[in-house]
Amino acid sequence: MILQLAVTGLMVGMVYALMALGIVVIYKCSSIFNFSHGAIVAFMCYLAWAFIVQIHLPLWLTFLLLIASAVVLGWIIQVGILRPLIGQPLLASVMVTLALMQVFGGTVTLIWPGPARFYPEIIPSGTLNLGGAAISYESLISLAVCVLAFIAFMYFFQYTKLGLAMRGTAEDHQLARSNGIRVVRMFTLAWIIAILTCSIGGVLVGNMHGVNYEPVSGLAMKALPAVMIGGMESVVGALLGGLLIGIFETIGSGFLDPLVGGGFADVFPYIAMIALIIFKPYGLFGYEKIERV
Amino acid sequence: MSRRPSGNFETSYAQDIAICHTGFQQVVMILFLIALLIIIPLFSSSYILSVFNIIGITIIAAIGLNILTGYAGQINLGQAGFIAVGAYCCAIFTNHLHMSFWLALPLAAIITGLVGTLFALPSLRVKGFYIAVTTLAAHMIIMWLITHGGKVTGGVEGLASTPPQIGDFVFTTEQHYYFIIIGLTVLLTYAAKNLVRTRFGRAIIAVRDNDLAAPFLGINVFRYKVTAFFICAFYAGVAGALMASYYKMITPEYFPMLDSIWYIGYLIVGGAGSIVGTIFGVVFLKLLSQLVMWGGPLLGAIAPIFSAGAVSGLMQFTFGIVIIIFLIFEPRGLWHRWQIMLSSMRIWPFPY
Amino acid sequence: MRNKLAGAFILLLVIGLVTSIACAPAATGKPAAEKPAENVVITIGDLPNLTGAYAATQSCYVESNGGAVALANEKNYIPGVTLKYEWVDAATDPAKAMTAYKKLLAATPRPAVIIDHSTAIGTALKQTAAADKIPIVEGGVSNEILIPPGWVFYYGSPYPCEAGAYADWFKSQWKESRAPRFAALTWDLPYGRAWITDESMAYIKSKGFEIVGQEFIPAVPSDTTPQLLRLKDAKVDVCFGAMYPSALAVVLKDANKLGMIGTFTWGGVYAVNLIELVGYVGPLANGCTVTSTDILPTMWKEKAPLMQENWDKNGAKLAPATQFAFANAAERVVIGIGAIKSAVEKVGAKNVDGQAVYNALINMKNFDPWGTGAPITFSETKRYGQDTVFITQVQNEKAIQLGTARVPDLLPGGKDVPAK
């Protein structure tokens, strides 16, 4: 039982980790917490559905179009909406992401009103038995996709020039500027990367739950405790945080549900998060702020 | 901001921190209060009074939040949870314990304040955005406790509360509630305004601006943070008790997590760090959501090619877009814009 | 320059907002189409949830409900009366629904009945509707709504009673000699937990079931293996629950992963849309059963021609999967229309108000909701309408109606509650 719970916890946690990555990338670069993350995940999920089922495009074209849409959307959000707010109080930008959540939610209901939709059957439904733990092909593929995405993003941040520029921007805007990095361009890039992770996450979650606004955006917001546990500025933290939350959830419902009468999976991650924050106020890998008078 | 054409020159400390500085402002304030407390309730329709009531309850909670987040700088994303505590306390007192509403209200508010101080404790170690998420977790834990509270809280079924009464007179209609709610709003706004222009207010502003330098001035940072939390939760408790009584029945669905986040939104749109700004923010956003609600069926009737679902989506979309455009034009909130307008009107036709 | 622009824009925005709210009560919703001048206008208010958590299921409600009202007007269902349909989005949020309700009250003429579609909102509005004297025909149910009897009338049968009906039906099909093992497998939400009451569990036990567990699935489940593993260990034969297909799909997929498909039957309350479920999981849905309040859409042509007409006119542009929801919602409106008709016959069209419709509702006996469902009966003490459910099951990825079952009265103090 423990093996089964641990394995499924890790699988689920990987998806949370991917969502957490989206939030962390934006926060790391521009110190804005993106409240519209869940809404964007759901929007990209619907968009992918529209490409595949409504317009009947082949899979490879959908893939490319999704990347293109992520770029366009990221650009619109940063240049059109957040750029005028540079230099203004940070809370205004945060409020804008809140309003963006309404915008995306409204767009989804506007363009695709009606009952839930489904992706066509691309992944065969079967089960793999690994030493007593049953794993479905679907979760295996989603695990593989998440791991690949993480490896790609980590490679990008560590070994490419652009990734280095982003890390520089995340550390100090002034210094980055004096090194010739266009900081505002980096913001746009951060948003594009975040929306890319949203698209991947959206398609994976859409496969699990169907293309349905509430469940998909609700699941994406479960990444919040993951971000907190891992630290808001750390990519590795997002990974670890997501996995931990996945495991906490399955352990919570596996062992503690019968004690408290059910439904503990929803609140256990938050309790764990508070407990951890009391001991490590900045999360596992977050930047500790050293303040001087 | 210039109050008089020749500049702001006060001759005493009391005059300097007064709410109404000039005679003109005093007259306007009195007229406003007369309009608010006498003319509006007597001549408005039930629907308009209901809008006022909702705005009044939200203002109370938002002002409490402003004291904590705008003035003391501790971001609190759990306000809806505290409101829930107040609402459920009031409902439990009036329903199970048959207390009078007038006793249940202050009791519920005090209990909520104490719950607030409980969740203030992590603020000793945690700062900035992390305290925000701690309060978010507080909200989730409070809601979980309420939903699993069995017969005491009514669990998921909700809890009814008995209406307030004085002697034989029972408060039932919108008009009756208007007097209680708006009366309390005016009172609590005045109390908050007083709080922030006294020593307490200056201390928490110091904590917000630089909580490392504040102790050098003799300010016990932790104690002021906890007090600010208490006050914020107290206000939320009052709002919650009013809510329980006004809605006559409360369920856990009345306090979703998103509402907590929107309370910060009221502050930002109105202008954090200013009591009157909060009022502006709440009024603006509530009126906008009313307009959005009216717009749906209207648009559906005018343009039948849209399905009703699409129309409601369009309304939600518009709500978000209006807020975004507003923030792009005025990121510091309505209060800032109001100040600028007043100043420019006062010194017109000169630019400065 | 930017400052001036910003200032002007914001000033205009605020002035516009305030004026539109002040003038708003004058504007009303859909104008009635070509009504004879002498007809009395009676308003039916509606609170569909077009945004929020229930948006996916309820997106077609305005079309179905407005269509039913328009059809009633067209067929002159109530002579001398033109019905007016007013809707406001309740957004699956009791606070917004309360505001929407107050807006409906401001309509002219004042609504004689209001239709609502959410347990949470119905519970929240119960006291207010009683104070305002407007009856609500409700699509969601909980014991809190039904007891004590108030101004909220639920159109179907309460969930605990549906669970009892399902247990009866399952037992009648049970071939083996041992006691079937029963477990709850439901949503951890008010809607999901509503059917689990002392009375319903006592009834199920008294019918010879062995209760082996109670599992709750979170609202948005990512993984349900812990719950299913416990049920597997208990070797459960039958489950009952209340959840929407998106969550049930996750449960069935996980059950498939654990090799449990076919070892147990899942039964659910009426609101589980079987067609949508088949869309999610295909053959894994085979065997899932629902205690439905309505007949199958394929039977409309024969048994409910008016509903078929409503669908052809107003629903044809919607997806076929919405047919269940379409009929559900329209059934509630039809009950409202029927109550208005009896009220008109009793007190005359000009005197029809909330109280008159309330009186008509508590005296409603065996009202046929245009053929779509079982007959509706209310009474002074009974606030739920249907005493029969249709057992609908998925076979070969299609929804088939297997028969009907009597609904036992399992409310606290009900007739069929087993004695201690």
Side-chain angles (χ1 to χ4, degrees):
Chain A
M1 169 112 155
I2 292 196
L3 181 65
Q4 173 75 58
L5 291 183
V7 166
T8 34
L10 280 175
M11 305 254 159
V12 163
M14 206 62 207
V15 180
Y16 291 155
L18 195 63
M19 308 283 187
L21 180 66
I23 300 182
V24 163
V25 164
I26 297 181
Y27 186 83
K28 195 167 164 152
C29 244
S30 50
S31 302
I32 297 175
F33 186 84
N34 181 16
F35 276 115
S36 57
H37 189 77
I40 299 182
V41 170
F43 179 75
M44 297 310 282
C45 179
Y46 270 90
L47 202 63
W49 180 86
F51 287 149
I52 297 180
V53 175
Q54 265 185 326
I55 316 184
H56 300 291
L57 294 174
L59 270 183
W60 62 268
L61 191 57
T62 311
F63 186 63
L64 289 176
L65 269 179
L66 269 183
I67 298 183
S69 331
V71 171
V72 167
L73 210 56
W75 193 85
I76 292 178
I77 292 179
Q78 173 56 33
V79 174
I81 298 175
L82 288 173
R83 186 175 187 160
L85 294 174
I86 294 181
Q88 304 291 351
L90 204 59
L91 279 181
S93 306
V94 176
M95 179 67 185
V96 163
T97 58
L98 202 62
L100 267 177
M101 179 172 64
Q102 294 290 92
V103 168
F104 279 111
T107 319
V108 164
T109 323
L110 173 65
I111 307 182
W112 299 285
R117 279 92 165 162
F118 325 96
Y119 285 126
E121 189 82 30
I122 305 176
I123 304 169
S125 53
T127 324
L128 194 65
N129 228 307
L130 213 61
I135 310 173
S136 68
Y137 287 159
E138 230 171 49
S139 358
L140 214 56
I141 303 244
S142 99
L143 179 74
V145 169
C146 286
V147 169
L148 275 174
F150 255 102
I151 293 181
F153 283 124
M154 281 181 157
Y155 178 84
F156 169 78
F157 281 123
Q158 285 293 116
Y159 295 111
T160 63
K161 217 162 159 199
L162 215 52
L164 187 63
M166 273 195 82
R167 280 192 292 142
T169 319
E171 227 174 272
D172 191 319
H173 291 179
Q174 282 290 74
L175 282 178
R177 270 215 184 92
S178 43
N179 272 323
I181 300 175
R182 294 240 199 114
V183 168
V184 181
R185 278 246 176 106
M186 291 301 123
F187 289 169
T188 318
L189 191 61
W191 272 94
I192 293 177
I193 292 181
I195 299 188
L196 273 174
T197 57
C198 286
S199 328
I200 303 175
V203 171
L204 288 175
V205 176
N207 226 358
M208 267 201 277
H209 286 274
V211 182
N212 201 346
Y213 184 78
E214 284 295 316
V216 173
S217 61
L219 203 76
M221 284 323 263
K222 280 200 197 178
L224 200 65
V227 170
M228 289 302 131
I229 289 187
M232 299 217 28
E233 293 99 351
S234 162
V235 171
V236 172
L239 180 63
L240 221 63
L243 291 175
L244 273 175
I245 291 291
I247 295 185
F248 280 151
E249 256 190 20
T250 39
I251 288 187
S253 57
F255 295 113
L256 296 172
D257 249 0
L259 297 173
V260 292
F264 209 55
D266 276 338
V267 80
F268 191 49
Y270 283 94
I271 297 184
M273 182 184 78
I274 288 195
L276 195 90
I277 287 200
I278 293 184
F279 291 109
K280 291 218 81 185
Y282 292 101
L284 286 174
F285 295 102
Y287 290 166
E288 285 213 17
K289 287 198 184 9
I290 302 177
E291 292 177 20
R292 296 194 172 81
V293 178
Chain B
M1 178 189 139
S2 92
R3 287 185 282 268
R4 301 183 182 81
S6 52
N8 301 339
F9 298 106
E10 315 291 355
T11 48
S12 76
Y13 184 60
Q15 257 188 322
D16 195 37
I17 61 170
I19 296 179
C20 299
H21 295 267
T22 63
F24 177 70
Q25 284 183 345
Q26 284 170 344
V27 171
V28 168
M29 177 64 80
I30 293 180
L31 285 178
F32 173 72
L33 283 175
I34 292 181
L36 190 65
L37 294 171
I38 302 179
I39 299 185
I40 289 182
L42 289 181
F43 294 107
S44 301
S45 75
S46 173
Y47 170 69
I48 300 230
L49 287 181
S50 77
V51 174
F52 269 100
N53 282 337
I54 298 278
I55 290 182
I57 295 178
T58 318
I59 286 180
I60 295 178
I63 286 185
L65 187 63
N66 198 2
I67 293 184
L68 183 60
T69 300
Y71 283 98
Q74 311 295 307
I75 305 181
N76 176 12
L77 290 183
Q79 189 71 337
F82 294 142
I83 298 178
V85 174
Y88 269 92
C89 279
C90 178
I92 291 175
F93 291 152
T94 52
N95 199 332
H96 293 312
L97 301 177
H98 302 290
M99 253 192 237
S100 146
F101 171 76
W102 310 105
L103 189 58
L105 181 88
L107 217 57
I110 293 178
I111 293 183
T112 317
L114 292 174
V115 171
T117 49
L118 186 68
F119 285 105
L121 298 179
S123 73
L124 182 59
R125 288 209 67 181
V126 179
K127 271 203 273 239
F129 211 75
Y130 290 91
I131 191 86
V133 182
T134 315
T135 46
L136 198 65
H139 174 104
M140 301 231 70
I141 294 175
I142 291 176
M143 291 322 291
W144 190 87
L145 284 172
I146 289 179
T147 347
H148 289 79
K151 287 275 180 284
V152 177
T153 61
V156 294
E157 300 264 303
L159 206 55
S161 55
T162 53
Q165 56 185 93
I166 302 181
D168 274 338
F169 176 71
V170 182
F171 287 77
T172 39
T173 70
E174 293 293 343
Q175 215 180 24
H176 300 158
Y177 273 108
Y178 180 88
F179 286 113
I180 304 181
I181 294 177
I182 297 294
L184 268 173
T185 311
V186 168
L187 213 66
L188 287 174
T189 311
Y190 182 58
K193 189 80 179 135
N194 283 343
L195 256 177
V196 301
R197 53 188 182 146
T198 59
R199 180 184 195 150
F200 176 78
R202 290 192 294 278
I204 57 178
I205 292 177
V207 166
R208 174 192 74 196
D209 286 340
N210 193 335
D211 65 347
L212 287 177
F216 289 110
L217 296 170
I219 297 174
N220 185 338
V221 170
F222 185 55
R223 202 177 77 184
Y224 276 103
K225 279 187 187 174
V226 171
T227 318
F229 259 98
F230 176 84
I231 292 179
C232 171
F234 181 86
Y235 271 71
V238 173
L242 284 174
M243 212 168 137
S245 179
Y246 177 62
Y247 284 151
K248 301 188 180 65
M249 175 97 183
I250 43 166
T251 62
E253 273 98 8
Y254 268 113
F255 314 104
M257 183 168 96
L258 212 56
D259 267 8
S260 275
I261 302 181
W262 276 106
Y263 269 101
I264 300 277
Y266 295 134
L267 289 191
I268 297 175
V269 166
S274 139
I275 300 286
V276 182
T278 326
I279 299 182
F280 284 170
V282 172
V283 168
F284 177 75
L285 282 181
K286 282 290 177 192
L287 286 186
L288 189 63
S289 73
Q290 288 289 314
L291 196 67
V292 154
M293 184 184 74
W294 280 90
L298 214 60
L299 203 62
I302 296 175
I305 43 163
F306 283 117
S307 74
V311 151
S312 305
L314 185 64
M315 287 294 113
Q316 202 183 2
F317 176 85
T318 318
F319 185 72
I321 289 280
V322 169
I323 296 181
I324 291 179
I325 296 183
F326 170 81
L327 280 172
I328 291 179
F329 274 111
E330 187 47 81
R332 286 176 200 269
L334 272 169
W335 173 239
H336 186 238
R337 185 52 41 185
W338 175 246
Q339 298 282 70
I340 293 178
M341 256 194 288
L342 279 185
S343 304
S344 55
M345 278 200 294
R346 211 171 296 279
I347 55 183
W348 186 81
F350 298 112
Y352 62 91
Chain C
M1 181 56 206
R2 186 184 187 230
N3 250 338
K4 280 218 182 90
L5 206 61
F9 172 76
I10 291 179
L11 195 61
L12 277 171
L13 193 62
V14 175
I15 292 181
L17 266 181
V18 177
T19 12
S20 42
I21 296 296
C23 304
T28 50
K30 214 178 253 183
E34 344 103 26
K35 65 163 162 70
E38 337 75 52
N39 272 12
V40 178
V41 177
I42 300 185
T43 314
I44 296 183
D46 193 10
L47 291 169
N49 295 299
L50 299 172
T51 46
Y54 288 170
T57 322
Q58 303 198 359
S59 57
C60 61
Y61 279 20
V62 171
E63 278 83 17
S64 63
N65 296 351
V69 171
L71 210 56
N73 281 335
E74 195 185 301
K75 307 274 179 211
N76 210 14
Y77 190 75
I78 312 179
V81 164
T82 304
L83 295 166
K84 192 162 109 167
Y85 175 72
E86 288 261 4
W87 66 270
V88 186
D89 178 18
T92 330
D93 176 356
K96 292 208 180 91
M98 184 63 84
T99 326
Y101 166 84
K102 296 205 192 278
K103 186 219 169 191
L104 278 180
L105 287 196
T108 45
R110 201 164 190 249
V113 66
I114 290 188
I115 321 288
D116 184 59
H117 310 278
S118 152
T119 313
I121 296 177
T123 318
L125 288 177
K126 183 178 175 188
Q127 311 277 358
T128 318
D132 293 324
K133 295 213 185 312
I134 298 196
I136 298 184
V137 177
E138 174 62 57
V141 69
S142 67
N143 277 4
E144 191 65 38
I145 285 184
L146 298 172
I147 301 160
W151 285 64
V152 180
F153 293 81
Y154 173 61
Y155 85 109
S157 42
Y159 299 143
C161 311
E162 281 190 6
Y166 178 72
D168 283 337
W169 175 82
F170 188 84
K171 197 72 204 299
S172 71
Q173 310 277 315
W174 183 246
K175 302 279 189 298
E176 302 182 30
S177 52
R178 64 173 170 89
R181 289 182 277 262
F182 178 93
L185 181 57
T186 181
W187 241 354
D188 184 26
L189 286 179
Y191 158 65
R193 286 177 179 259
W195 69 271
I196 304 177
T197 58
D198 295 331
E199 294 83 20
S200 63
M201 295 313 265
Y203 184 82
I204 293 174
K205 210 165 181 183
S206 75
K207 287 290 165 181
F209 286 83
E210 186 192 335
I211 315 244
V212 297
Q214 228 180 47
E215 296 302 333
F216 297 99
I217 313 288
V220 186
S222 16
D223 168 69
T224 53
T225 22
Q227 291 90 334
L228 287 172
L229 276 177
R230 284 192 285 266
L231 289 179
K232 189 174 184 184
D233 285 338
K235 296 200 187 34
V236 67
D237 297 305
V238 56
C239 289
F240 191 78
M243 47 178 147
Y244 275 179
S246 53
L248 188 54
V250 177
V251 173
L252 290 175
K253 282 195 207 161
D254 283 339
N256 187 28
K257 190 171 76 180
L258 296 173
M260 286 171 74
I261 294 287
T263 62
F264 76 99
T265 317
W266 190 86
V269 299
Y270 80 92
V272 184
N273 188 340
L274 288 176
I275 300 180
E276 194 182 325
L277 185 66
V278 171
Y280 277 117
V281 291
L284 298 181
N286 282 340
C288 285
T289 317
V290 152
T291 47
S292 181
T293 51
D294 311 308
I295 58 176
L296 292 173
T298 44
M299 301 158 109
W300 284 348
K301 267 208 176 54
E302 190 191 313
K303 303 220 171 125
L306 277 178
M307 194 56 70
Q308 183 69 49
E309 203 179 326
N310 191 7
W311 174 261
D312 291 332
K313 280 194 181 145
N314 303 304
K317 58 180 158 77
L318 303 169
T322 52
Q323 275 181 323
F324 266 121
F326 194 90
N328 258 333
E331 201 174 328
R332 299 162 201 160
V333 173
V334 166
I335 295 176
I337 297 178
I340 293 180
K341 183 169 182 169
S342 327
V344 167
E345 281 159 14
K346 195 119 188 266
V347 298
K350 288 220 196 309
N351 298 325
V352 168
D353 63 350
Q355 182 70 56
V357 176
Y358 173 82
N359 294 337
L361 279 169
I362 45 179
N363 290 315
M364 192 177 263
K365 301 253 179 300
N366 292 325
F367 171 75
D368 174 21
W370 290 8
T372 39
I376 311 280
T377 308
F378 295 112
S379 81
E380 191 63 60
T381 49
K382 184 162 171 280
R383 290 293 189 269
Y384 67 90
Q386 289 181 333
D387 297 299
T388 323
V389 284
F390 304 96
I391 305 287
T392 317
Q393 196 177 63
V394 178
Q395 285 177 1
N396 294 322
E397 300 182 49
K398 284 206 188 346
I400 313 280
Q401 188 176 307
L402 296 178
T404 59
R406 184 191 78 97
V407 172
D409 179 4
L410 294 175
L411 295 177
K415 302 195 294 290
D416 295 296
V417 179
K420 289 279 184 313

